[in-house]
Amino acid sequence: MDTLGALALATEPPTDNLMKRNPVGRREPLVTNIMWRNLFVQALYQVAILLIFDFDGVRILRLQNESRSNAEKVTNTFIFNTFVFCQWSICSSII
């Protein structure tokens, strides 16, 4: 899924500001502290949302009157779609 985003960034023509920048040393980390912070915050957000839907999805989606198996199927489908949407929103913000 990240291949298209990486390809879009790699095929972008270099700008003058990029060409004037000092080279990055070999010992510099590939993932910066800001990147780690963003990864951590996004992971917390996704885990929180998905756990809320996992434990309280039947009430949130108002499926109390449905059969247990049907309510579980609907809740699991909703959780999966929410996960995919979270991943898509990350990719769309990068590109």
Side-chain angles (χ1 to χ4, degrees), residues 21-70:
R21 219 173 62 181
N22 291 332
V24 178
R26 289 182 186 214
R27 305 275 185 226
E28 295 296 319
L30 188 60
V31 180
T32 64
N33 288 336
I34 295 172
M35 291 177 183
W36 280 116
R37 182 199 63 203
N38 290 341
L39 283 167
F40 183 69
V41 169
Q42 185 65 31
L44 277 177
Y45 166 74
Q46 285 187 24
V47 167
I49 295 294
L50 295 175
L51 284 176
I52 288 170
F53 284 136
D54 191 30
F55 288 111
D56 209 21
V58 174
R59 187 186 61 80
I60 292 171
L61 298 173
R62 298 180 183 163
L63 298 171
Q64 291 94 346
N65 297 332
E66 298 286 329
S67 67
R68 181 178 168 91
S69 64
N70 188 36

